[in-house]
């Protein structure tokens, strides 16, 4: 048993990601989510308060089994029925064309085989569905990129597989049609961890 991964990291994640600034970005990216919803990398359920009021049910997965004890309390206090499963995004048991919306917030950095996971998202998304995402990743500044590459091994350990240096925009564009994409630094965070990709993508 990996004590850090299962017991310490979920609580560390919940603490670091419970931030009013991040909540504003969550609300913004989730406001247009509709229909049948799948959330990849559900974590401790911090997105729940920001789903539109007509979303009453969500399918959610997270690869870390330690999230379950925290997330169950948050689900119980929300008005959304959540079918939560401890699963890796690389292998989804859902049928093809199952979801109108797939959501990923600060998750794609941590999936080992990202290409496989994006392929799975594409598979389960309905033909007219949308993929909503906000992720941190590779900066557009070469000097910051150098530090991201240097610090990446440490971040992968501390962040349960989290990569600092993934060009999330390019990864998503390799599988989807980009509907909109914003790239910026989150305020009050070091540049090496705060460079952000926020957007919506569609099936090709």
């Amino acid at each position: 048993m990996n004590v850090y991964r299962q017991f310490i990291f979920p609580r560390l994640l919940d603490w670091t990601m419970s931030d009013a600034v991040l909540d504003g970005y969550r609300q913004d990216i989730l406001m247009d989510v509709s229909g049948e919803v799948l959330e990849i990398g559900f974590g401790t359920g911090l997105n729940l308060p920001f789903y539109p009021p007509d979303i009453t049910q969500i399918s959610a997965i997270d690869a870390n089994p330690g999230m379950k004890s925290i997330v169950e309390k948050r689900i119980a206090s929300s008005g959304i029925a959540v079918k939560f499963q401890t699963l890796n995004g690389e292998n989804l048991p859902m049928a093809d064309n199952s979801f109108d919306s797939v959501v990923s917030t600060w998750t794609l950095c941590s999936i080992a085989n990202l290409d496989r996971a994006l392929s799975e998202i594409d598979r389960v998304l309905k033909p007219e569905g949308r993929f909503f995402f906000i992720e941190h990743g590779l900066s557009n500044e070469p000097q910051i990129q150098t530090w991201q590459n240097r610090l990446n091994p440490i971040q992968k350990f501390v962040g349960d597989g989290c990569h600092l240096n993934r060009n999330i925009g390019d990864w998503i564009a390799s599988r989807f049609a980009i509907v909109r994409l914003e790239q910026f630094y989150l305020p009050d965070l070091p540049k090496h961890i705060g460079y952000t990709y926020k957007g919506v993508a569609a099936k090709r």
Side-chain angles (χ1 to χ4, degrees):
M1 179 192 302
N2 187 324
V3 174
Y4 174 78
R5 181 172 190 263
Q6 189 162 345
F7 296 102
I8 299 173
F9 178 72
R11 287 152 183 83
L12 179 64
L13 179 73
D14 193 61
W15 175 64
T16 57
M17 299 302 288
S18 298
D19 181 276
V21 172
L22 299 184
D23 286 350
Y25 291 107
R26 294 179 196 277
Q27 185 172 27
D28 186 56
I29 199 64
L30 295 171
M31 64 186 300
D32 294 324
V33 169
S34 62
E36 297 290 326
V37 180
L38 169 66
E39 184 172 334
I40 304 288
F42 194 63
T44 61
L46 290 170
N47 285 338
L48 279 173
F50 305 104
Y51 276 99
D54 59 332
I55 301 297
T56 58
Q57 184 171 331
I58 294 173
S59 296
I61 69 162
D62 199 283
N64 188 326
M67 301 294 177
K68 189 173 182 181
S69 62
I70 301 175
V71 81
E72 284 180 340
K73 299 173 185 176
R74 196 159 273 141
I75 291 169
S77 63
S78 80
I80 301 176
V82 180
K83 181 182 179 182
F84 177 79
Q85 299 179 77
T86 302
L87 291 172
N88 193 306
E90 300 165 7
N91 297 287
L92 300 177
M94 297 81 172
D96 297 358
N97 307 319
S98 297
F99 297 97
D100 301 285
S101 302
V102 176
V103 171
S104 172
T105 60
W106 295 288
T107 294
L108 300 183
C109 59
S110 302
I111 299 176
N113 189 337
L114 182 53
D115 186 62
R116 174 64 182 169
L118 291 171
S119 176
E120 282 288 270
I121 292 170
D122 181 53
R123 180 183 66 78
V124 301
L125 198 60
K126 292 180 181 179
E128 301 302 320
R130 290 290 184 267
F131 175 32
F132 298 85
F133 59 90
I134 181 165
E135 303 284 346
H136 76 98
L138 188 70
S139 169
N140 61 353
E141 296 184 67
Q143 185 176 1
I144 304 302
Q145 292 177 4
T146 298
W147 278 104
Q148 288 178 312
N149 292 328
R150 287 174 179 169
L151 295 170
N152 200 57
I154 299 171
Q155 178 68 16
K156 285 172 66 178
F157 174 78
V158 174
D160 193 23
C162 172
H163 293 71
L164 293 171
N165 57 357
R166 285 182 171 172
N167 189 322
I168 297 297
D170 284 356
W171 275 100
I172 293 176
S174 72
R175 284 282 179 181
F176 297 88
I178 299 294
V179 176
R180 66 174 184 266
L181 176 64
E182 300 172 54
Q183 296 178 221
F184 54 91
Y185 287 106
L186 286 174
D188 302 322
L189 281 179
K191 283 189 169 184
H192 72 276
I193 200 167
Y195 194 76
T196 299
Y197 300 77
K198 180 169 76 77
V200 181
K203 292 174 77 86
R204 287 179 174 164

